[in-house]
Amino acid sequence: MTAARVSRSGKPAVVAHRGASGQAPEHTLAAYELALSQGADGLECDIRLTADGELVCIHDRTIDRTSDGTGPVSEMSLAQLREHDFGSWHGGKPASVLTLDELLTLTLDWRRPVRLFIETKHPVRFGSLVEVKLLEMLRRFGVATPPSADHSRAVVISFSSSGVWRIRRHAPMLPTILLGDTARVLGGSAATAVGATGIGPSVQTLRLHPELVDKAAAAGRVTYCWTVDEQRDVAMCAEIGVRWIATNHPADVRDWLVTV
């Protein structure tokens, strides 16, 4: 398979949503390694803080859906989370909880440039501490101050406008995407207020409001669309100029983009 660049001119770049989560358990090392082997241009993860201040890749507030355990992430230490299996529920092999540290290492050490899209979850028990801890880690990995948004290996995304604003305030060169599922949120004023460098509509919103892409481009912002798993939606995103497509099926989307 030919290695893909982070930026593929003329067509949307493919972001593996929680890894290749259509084929492997989400947020596991296996899901991300599969996505990378399939040629994904970017990886997406959700992060939460454990009770002892560690950043882990888990979407839900609790571990009930994606592990053999129960309980809120914020009330468990990393050691306690590691006692549970996060892989078998999806039919995969047993897997440990994935830390952001481990995922960043995988991303930055991969044999070709890949971009990591990191979603901070809100509202959460620890409030703004999640962005504080995230920036500390990105600085430790040397990716918090890229020369420009285009050359950044990390992108911070969030449905929380205050979360996006905290990143922009403390790491102004890091690209940020304000997520939303309505045109009202993403139409311009909210993204402008927090200084987001991109908008992130759902594919359902984009079907109804394709003009959002042109409006964002006119304001100097890229568009990141989630979660695009159908061929007709991939074709729509390519036609209207979406920059990043987040999908559970990166291999399929890459194949479909060949034909558009």
Side-chain angles (χ1 to χ4, degrees):
M1 180 179 294
T2 301
R5 294 171 296 176
V6 169
S7 298
R8 291 186 294 133
S9 176
K11 292 185 179 181
V14 180
V15 180
H17 182 248
R18 309 178 196 172
S21 54
Q23 296 173 267
E26 67 183 60
H27 285 130
T28 60
L29 191 62
Y32 289 108
E33 289 177 337
L34 179 59
L36 290 169
S37 71
Q38 292 174 345
D41 303 296
L43 305 175
E44 183 269 355
C45 68
D46 306 282
I47 58 170
R48 291 182 178 274
L49 273 173
T50 64
D52 54 344
E54 299 292 335
L55 289 169
V56 291
C57 301
I58 299 177
H59 176 272
D60 300 356
R61 187 181 67 86
T62 73
I63 65 171
D64 299 34
R65 178 178 64 86
T66 57
S67 83
D68 61 357
T70 62
V73 177
S74 64
E75 296 179 8
M76 306 174 78
S77 68
L78 178 57
Q80 289 172 316
L81 287 171
R82 290 204 186 278
E83 295 175 358
H84 297 289
D85 172 18
F86 284 80
S88 299
W89 69 275
H90 195 277
K93 296 179 180 179
S96 179
V97 65
L98 184 67
T99 65
L100 181 60
D101 187 298
E102 292 166 337
L103 182 55
L104 270 167
T105 298
L106 174 68
T107 304
L108 297 177
D109 286 350
W110 194 247
R111 57 180 174 265
R112 56 180 170 81
V114 178
R115 194 165 295 184
L116 183 59
F117 291 75
I118 306 166
E119 181 179 341
T120 63
K121 309 300 291 185
H122 290 282
V124 288
R125 172 185 174 189
F126 298 110
S128 62
L129 187 59
V130 65
E131 280 86 21
V132 173
K133 290 283 190 178
L134 172 57
L135 285 175
E136 287 177 356
M137 182 169 293
L138 294 180
R139 291 186 184 109
R140 179 160 59 83
F141 275 85
V143 295
T145 55
S148 69
D150 287 341
H151 291 86
S152 180
R153 297 294 300 277
V155 182
V156 181
I157 67 179
S158 186
F159 284 93
S160 167
S161 57
S162 58
V164 171
W165 169 243
R166 281 190 286 270
I167 297 297
R168 293 296 291 166
R169 181 179 179 184
H170 297 289
M173 295 307 293
L174 266 180
T176 51
I177 292 174
L178 179 63
L179 301 172
D181 54 10
T182 67
R184 180 183 60 81
V185 171
L186 300 172
S189 58
T192 299
V194 299
T197 58
I199 61 168
S202 67
V203 68
Q204 292 86 357
T205 296
L206 210 53
R207 288 179 196 145
L208 296 174
H209 300 282
E211 73 280 359
L212 284 173
V213 178
D214 280 345
K215 288 183 178 179
R221 299 188 184 94
V222 298
T223 301
Y224 166 101
C225 184
W226 53 275
T227 302
V228 186
D229 290 338
E230 297 183 18
Q231 188 169 5
R232 66 186 179 99
D233 290 325
V234 171
M236 174 194 69
C237 288
E239 180 179 356
I240 63 179
V242 170
R243 180 68 187 84
W244 298 94
I245 292 177
T247 178
N248 298 316
H249 303 278
D252 288 343
V253 171
R254 281 179 55 81
D255 288 343
W256 293 335
L257 283 170
V258 172
T259 65
V260 299

